[in-house]
Amino acid sequence: MKLAVVGATGLVGSEILEVLKERNFEYDELMLVASARSVGKVIEYRGEAHTVIGLEDAVAAKPDIAIFSAGGGTSLEWAPKFAEVGTIVIDNSSAWRMDPSKKLIVPEINGSAIMIDDRIIANPNCSTIQMVLVLGPLHERYGINRVIVSTYQSVTGSGKGAVDQMMSERNGETPEMIYPHKIDMNVLPHIDVFQENGYTKEEMKMTNETVKILGDENVKVSATCVRIPTMGGHSESVNIEFDNPYDLAEVKEILCKVPGLVIQDDVANNVYPMPLTAHKKDEVFVGRIRKDETKENALNLWIVADNLRKGAATNAVQIAQYVAEHNLVL
């Protein structure tokens, strides 16, 4: 097993390495790959010194699996080159998510869709991943026709520069501006670029990716995505409208059985999901599960997950584990 991590020096790349170690992912050779400015850098990992290599050298080495976290442009250019030499590319960017020829995978929900000839597999958007982990089993049981979601997303979703901006503002320093406005002590209803329809690209990702993962175009998703000055994870307020009546106790029973999903729903003792307690965890946490009393067959709940873990690194590593365990590596 030759494993490559492309974008190994970035926020998500570093998290991927951490998750690989925690999950004892087995490989014979590890390649840490990054842009030209990082080539030659030495990274200590699992007791060994690894010299960062460039993309051309990585393709020439023909890794069995390459986990990409290097941006959409890099992925569009280089993922096909890896695929041509037989590598399975697991890509964290948005480059391939809505390509009809590529699978968009959350292993617990649709891992079985991966086939032997899938050479480029897309990792969904962080906000989508944590939401569909809850929606998937409920859709299977009751049928979902509509979802309204408002997100409260960590600055870590914008990378190290955004974290630096927030902390500089907090320390009274003049920051390099990643956002169009101050983020500390503020809330920005603006994630990614605005589209012609008035929604942001992030909001449309949640709409389109959810439909693709669930495999049902009848599911309608309306999203408002908001950046807040916190770290540790993304939070979502989700309203779900079902086709059929549901039982609240059964909903909780169904969610209890979903791998990687943890119910934290004891409001009498102030127990509910929070970014602070989700930080560095692989699980998705759900709570505030309650009937929408204004609409028949509608449900409200609150979902939190560490966007760098299950929202990116952990899900990608889980896909890698799936293809390895199911002998899908050529």
Side-chain angles (χ1 to χ4, degrees), residues 66-174:
I67 303 177
F68 269 55
S69 186
T74 299
S75 181
L76 283 172
E77 179 181 358
W78 288 93
K81 296 178 181 180
F82 278 86
E84 284 173 10
V85 299
T87 302
I88 294 177
V89 174
I90 301 164
D91 182 46
N92 267 298
S93 79
S94 61
W96 305 99
R97 290 174 186 160
M98 297 312 299
D99 185 321
S101 68
K102 305 295 185 291
K103 305 291 173 56
L104 185 63
I105 298 295
V106 177
E108 299 92 337
I109 303 300
N110 64 341
S112 60
I114 303 173
M115 298 297 156
I116 189 72
D117 57 347
D118 287 320
R119 296 294 102 183
I120 299 176
I121 301 169
N123 207 39
N125 181 47
C126 47
S127 306
T128 306
I129 289 173
Q130 65 188 72
M131 186 170 73
V132 298
L133 199 63
V134 172
L135 297 185
L138 297 181
H139 181 53
E140 188 176 326
R141 175 66 180 89
Y142 304 112
I144 293 173
N145 61 66
R146 189 176 188 222
V147 177
I148 300 174
V149 53
S150 296
T151 72
Y152 306 74
Q153 296 182 222
S154 164
V155 292
T156 57
S158 302
K160 183 179 181 298
V163 176
D164 291 344
Q165 177 184 330
M166 183 182 76
M167 297 311 295
S168 292
E169 291 168 347
R170 191 159 293 182
N171 294 330
E173 301 164 356
T174 302

Side-chain angles (χ1 to χ4, degrees), residues 44-57:
E44 287 286 333
Y45 179 67
R46 282 182 163 181
E48 293 184 18
H50 295 269
T51 301
V52 175
I53 64 173
L55 286 153
E56 287 187 6
D57 289 340

Side-chain angles (χ1 to χ4, degrees), residues 23-291:
R23 288 176 170 258
N24 294 312
F25 188 92
E26 294 186 6
Y27 55 80
D28 299 300
E29 182 180 346
L30 176 66
M31 289 167 260
L32 302 187
V33 189
S35 61
R37 66 178 179 272
S38 295
V39 170
K41 181 179 179 180
V42 177
I43 296 175
E44 287 286 333
Y45 179 67
R46 282 182 163 181
E48 293 184 18
H50 295 269
T51 301
V52 175
I53 64 173
L55 286 153
E56 287 187 6
D57 289 340
V59 171
K62 298 182 179 180
D64 296 296
I65 297 173
I67 303 177
F68 269 55
S69 186
T74 299
S75 181
L76 283 172
E77 179 181 358
W78 288 93
K81 296 178 181 180
F82 278 86
E84 284 173 10
V85 299
T87 302
I88 294 177
V89 174
I90 301 164
D91 182 46
N92 267 298
S93 79
S94 61
W96 305 99
R97 290 174 186 160
M98 297 312 299
D99 185 321
S101 68
K102 305 295 185 291
K103 305 291 173 56
L104 185 63
I105 298 295
V106 177
E108 299 92 337
I109 303 300
N110 64 341
S112 60
I114 303 173
M115 298 297 156
I116 189 72
D117 57 347
D118 287 320
R119 296 294 102 183
I120 299 176
I121 301 169
N123 207 39
N125 181 47
C126 47
S127 306
T128 306
I129 289 173
Q130 65 188 72
M131 186 170 73
V132 298
L133 199 63
V134 172
L135 297 185
L138 297 181
H139 181 53
E140 188 176 326
R141 175 66 180 89
Y142 304 112
I144 293 173
N145 61 66
R146 189 176 188 222
V147 177
I148 300 174
V149 53
S150 296
T151 72
Y152 306 74
Q153 296 182 222
S154 164
V155 292
T156 57
S158 302
K160 183 179 181 298
V163 176
D164 291 344
Q165 177 184 330
M166 183 182 76
M167 297 311 295
S168 292
E169 291 168 347
R170 191 159 293 182
N171 294 330
E173 301 164 356
T174 302
E176 179 181 347
M177 296 295 287
I178 302 300
Y179 299 119
H181 302 283
K182 180 181 178 183
I183 184 61
D184 192 41
M185 302 291 287
N186 200 14
V187 168
L188 304 181
H190 177 185
I191 298 180
D192 214 319
V193 297
F194 284 101
Q195 309 292 286
E196 289 185 4
N197 63 359
Y199 287 82
T200 64
K201 191 175 179 182
E202 180 85 358
E203 290 160 354
M204 295 312 300
K205 286 176 190 175
M206 293 195 74
T207 296
N208 297 326
E209 292 176 20
T210 299
V211 170
K212 182 173 181 178
I213 295 166
L214 296 181
D216 189 344
E217 293 186 358
N218 294 316
V219 178
K220 307 302 180 185
V221 179
S222 180
T224 301
C225 293
V226 180
R227 188 73 68 191
I228 64 172
T230 189
M231 296 191 287
H234 292 347
S235 306
E236 299 172 349
S237 174
V238 184
N239 179 270
I240 308 166
E241 186 177 333
F242 297 112
D243 295 324
N244 301 294
Y246 68 89
D247 177 76
L248 199 58
E250 186 183 46
V251 165
K252 294 181 180 181
E253 184 180 339
I254 290 168
L255 296 179
C256 275
K257 296 177 181 177
V258 179
L261 190 63
V262 176
I263 293 181
Q264 293 180 330
D265 194 18
D266 181 8
V267 294
N269 291 297
N270 299 324
V271 175
Y272 32 71
M274 298 181 294
L276 193 65
T277 50
H279 183 50
K280 285 290 184 182
K281 304 262 191 350
D282 287 333
E283 295 83 5
V284 172
F285 301 90
V286 60
R288 299 296 316 280
I289 304 168
R290 62 205 187 278
K291 288 192 174 185

